[in-house]
Amino acid sequence: MAAALQVLPHLARAPLHPLLWWGSVARLASSMALAEQARQLFDSAVGAVLPGPMLHRALSLDPGGRQLKVRDRSFQLRQNVYLVGFGKAVMGMAAAAEELLGQHLVQGVISIPKGIRAAMERAGKQEMLLKPHSHVQVFEGAEDNLPDRDALRAALAIRQLAEGLTADDLLLVLISGGGSALLPAPIPPVTLEEKQTLTRLLAARGATIQELNTIRKALSQLKGGGLAQAAYPAQVVSLILSDVVGDPVEVIASGPTVASSHSVQDCLHIVNRYGLRAALPRSVKTVLSRADSDPHGPHSCGHVLNVIIGSNVLALAEAQRQAEALGYQAVVLSAAMQGDVKSMAQFYGLLAHVARTRLTPSMAGASVEEDAQLHELAADLQIPDLQLEEALETMARGRGPVCLLAGGEPTVQLQGSGRGGRNQELALRVGAELRRWPLGQIDVLFLSGGTDGQDGPTEAAGAWVTPELASQAAAEGLDMATFLAHNDSHTFFCRLQGGAHLLHTGMTGTNVMDTHLLFLQPR
Ligand SMILES: Nc1ncnc2c1ncn2[C@@H]1O[C@H](COP(=O)(O)OP(=O)(O)OP(=O)(O)O)[C@@H](O)[C@H]1O
Ligand SMILES: O=C(O)[C@H](O)CO
């Protein structure tokens, strides 16, 4: 409702015939209702993957409080538990772990994003905060998700704790997305700045998280199994909240407790692919050449238990349940959306069109070419287990409102110096795609949001759009193409209707990639 009040003055300024004006107001009201529901579903998705409940599902004490149970394994407790953690969600995980372990937890160190503790305090999220006399030391760093001196200090404190452990000890490692930037310990002579520059260049050229983290592992003391090695001979249990498609433990936060299987050749292929071979600093070449002749090979991780405790599959399942409760036919398209943001936007735009024609019997069906193009786009994106047929059949069967849900992350190739994030850029691109098709008698709304509550280096989590986006932008003199050319989606959405299309949640304290929601509602 608040958003509707923000938008009405903008509509009032548009020079329209009275009938068209009322039509627009009616469409606006239904967009606003859809936007409220989209927000509700997004919140329910995030609520399902909050760190505390997930940790409690994975860890428990036996009735006598002498054994810690992790899935089907048990570990002796005798005031011998240590804890380290790094990532956007580990403060809530650490708080839950400390509450469960009580006096058995001897000491802990966690590395979390700058500002997250204050944000949780302001939001009154007590369950995400450590108690005043906690045994866990907190380091805050990695502003804007880039490794910095504070994160380096945290990484060194974590290494020191791990190296001091004995065979009687148990190390709990709490891992979540954002962990790579929060655990930087470059192998000398590589400096923090050199590592930072290389990762930034790779990310800006569209390197995937798998590629980025392959390089990070090769240059790090703690990633790629290094932390597990430092903790040996202690037993190590890693509890991992996944923010990577398919939940690969060796990729999430660069797998500090998983032996790395990548070779120097793999690293060189990656830097070549992005044209960065010539830009490699001498120190990086030195470390890579040493790794090639390392007689010890990869770290051994036989003393480690790695457990995925949560991922976006859970988040999507909860949002699907909520959508059904609201009367939608809800289909989860995939929890593994990936690929270039432009192709993904084309896919969602065309999907909305094809879906719309199936939902409206009076409308001419999508042409054979459009149908084929949709399948081609899906094939190009290489999304495992995409439930496209199921979604299309659902629409052909029923005539009610439909909600398609998906999770994952597109890749953005940065060309401009604008402000934005994956979600806002995807939403803006989908908005641009939607104008290519006739509106028909179906309301459409697309929302994309990062479950961590922070989309790129902006304070928004994402944005939502409808097919009216192009005309709304034009009415305010905003040229979508120019904003897209500069990766300036955040500025665009801040200016459009006073920011009414932005999704603001604040930092959520969790992180399981992005959520995409596509609503189609017959009028
Ligand atoms: N101006 C921009 N427009 C679009 N995308 C951007 C822009 N600036 C950064 N990005 C994208 O935002 C991403 C970084 O955002 P963020 O810090 O939220 O990372 P993340 O991948 O969510 O974090 P993590 O991997 O740690 O979970 C990168 O993928 C980058 O390409
Ligand atoms: O920290 C990282 O490496 C990314 O968030 C993927 O887990």
Side-chain angles (χ1 to χ4, degrees):
M1 193 59 206
L5 292 176
Q6 246 172 314
V7 174
L8 274 172
H10 294 267
L11 199 58
R13 281 206 299 272
L16 285 179
H17 183 279
L19 277 181
L20 286 178
W21 194 85
W22 278 114
S24 302
V25 170
R27 246 199 323 271
L28 171 68
S30 73
S31 294
M32 288 304 157
L34 273 185
E36 297 276 326
Q37 293 186 340
R39 170 67 198 247
Q40 205 177 323
L41 293 198
F42 181 78
D43 287 346
S44 72
V46 171
V49 286
L50 290 179
M54 272 186 309
L55 194 111
H56 282 296
R57 277 198 290 272
L59 277 190
S60 60
L61 298 190
D62 73 343
R66 301 245 166 95
Q67 302 230 328
L68 180 67
K69 295 193 159 192
V70 190
R71 297 277 151 85
D72 57 347
R73 295 271 302 272
S74 292
F75 298 86
Q76 278 294 323
L77 289 177
R78 34 176 189 258
Q79 300 187 4
N80 59 340
V81 186
Y82 294 77
L83 175 159
V84 296
F86 29 86
K88 296 182 183 180
V90 304
M91 190 168 60
M93 289 161 83
E98 184 161 35
E99 193 182 298
L100 181 82
L101 291 164
Q103 32 130 16
H104 291 295
L105 179 66
V106 184
Q107 191 196 346
V109 179
I110 60 172
S111 175
I112 59 173
K114 193 159 281 170
I116 202 161
R117 186 163 37 177
M120 294 301 148
E121 275 165 5
R122 275 197 304 276
K125 294 187 178 169
Q126 290 306 322
E127 70 286 3
M128 299 268 191
L129 297 168
L130 292 158
K131 298 279 176 294
H133 300 293
S134 168
H135 291 180
V136 181
Q137 188 184 3
V138 180
F139 287 81
E140 293 190 45
E143 204 156 15
D144 289 337
N145 208 16
L146 284 171
D148 57 13
R149 296 268 143 211
D150 293 325
L152 182 64
R153 266 192 288 279
L156 298 182
I158 285 172
R159 190 183 67 187
Q160 199 179 10
L161 185 152
E163 283 174 347
L165 300 179
T166 70
D168 292 331
D169 298 325
L170 171 64
L171 180 66
L172 274 189
V173 184
L174 308 178
I175 299 180
S176 75
S180 291
L182 287 157
L183 192 74
I187 300 174
V190 177
T191 66
L192 185 66
E193 290 70 26
E194 285 168 337
K195 210 172 157 192
Q196 209 180 41
T197 308
L198 186 55
T199 27
R200 210 185 352 220
L201 282 172
L202 281 164
R205 291 177 186 208
T208 63
I209 190 68
Q210 286 75 5
E211 292 170 330
L212 259 179
N213 286 0
T214 300
I215 303 286
R216 282 166 157 165
K217 284 192 269 191
L219 303 179
S220 165
Q221 299 173 43
L222 295 176
K223 298 180 168 99
L227 176 61
Q229 185 77 8
Y232 185 83
Q235 298 196 76
V236 176
V237 172
S238 279
L239 302 174
I240 306 165
L241 181 54
S242 171
D243 73 328
V244 179
V245 161
D247 308 336
V249 287
E250 72 283 8
V251 179
I252 303 163
S254 306
T257 55
V258 186
S260 174
S261 57
H262 293 290
S263 66
V264 172
Q265 275 314 314
D266 295 329
C267 295
L268 294 179
H269 277 138
I270 294 165
V271 286
N272 285 341
R273 188 169 308 143
Y274 295 101
L276 290 171
R277 183 75 175 256
L280 283 188
R282 183 189 297 270
S283 60
V284 170
K285 289 184 188 149
T286 307
V287 168
L288 290 181
S289 63
R290 263 197 240 141
D292 227 3
S293 53
D294 181 359
H296 306 296
H299 302 295
S300 130
C301 289
H303 56 305
V304 181
L305 174 64
N306 286 302
V307 182
I308 295 277
I309 64 167
S311 70
N312 72 351
V313 173
L314 282 177
L316 291 172
E318 180 55 28
Q320 182 184 28
R321 234 171 41 81
Q322 290 283 333
E324 284 167 354
L326 289 171
Y328 287 92
Q329 304 182 75
V331 180
V332 175
L333 280 171
S334 165
M337 296 297 293
Q338 57 190 342
D340 180 61
V341 69
K342 290 183 196 153
S343 313
M344 199 181 286
Q346 281 170 0
F347 169 76
Y348 280 125
L350 191 52
L351 174 61
H353 168 61
V354 172
R356 218 157 38 190
T357 62
R358 299 215 177 180
L359 275 169
T360 322
S362 57
M363 236 176 133
S367 67
V368 177
E369 290 84 51
E370 287 162 355
D371 234 273
Q373 204 189 335
L374 179 65
H375 285 86
E376 249 169 57
L377 276 170
D380 286 352
L381 286 168
Q382 298 184 341
I383 299 156
D385 302 330
L386 181 69
Q387 301 300 308
L388 183 56
E389 292 314 321
E390 188 191 337
L392 294 176
E393 276 164 25
T394 301
M395 276 166 277
R397 264 199 313 270
R399 301 277 174 233
V402 171
C403 175
L404 304 179
L405 307 98
E409 283 186 356
T411 316
V412 177
Q413 275 195 36
L414 292 181
Q415 284 151 352
S417 54
R419 289 193 72 209
R422 283 189 306 263
N423 292 281
Q424 291 161 85
E425 173 135 352
L426 177 64
L428 180 50
R429 287 188 182 279
V430 171
E433 290 292 325
L434 290 176
R435 83 177 136 176
R436 297 177 49 201
W437 315 106
L439 280 178
Q441 288 302 304
I442 304 272
D443 287 320
V444 176
L445 183 138
F446 176 80
L447 175 144
S448 183
T451 54
D452 58 0
Q454 192 183 20
D455 186 30
T458 76
E459 45 306 324
W464 59 270
V465 296
T466 64
E468 289 79 25
L469 184 79
S471 55
Q472 292 162 343
E476 297 199 45
L478 302 171
D479 178 29
M480 298 199 290
T482 307
F483 285 94
L484 281 172
H486 296 102
N487 300 108
D488 208 10
S489 52
H490 185 63
T491 311
F492 173 87
F493 281 115
C494 283
R495 296 213 187 132
L496 182 77
Q497 300 183 335
H501 290 242
L502 282 169
L503 175 68
H504 277 290
T505 59
M507 281 174 164
T508 60
T510 191
N511 182 17
V512 290
M513 295 188 280
D514 304 336
T515 299
H516 307 153
L517 302 171
L518 178 60
F519 291 83
L520 298 127
Q521 189 168 52
R523 277 191 208 126

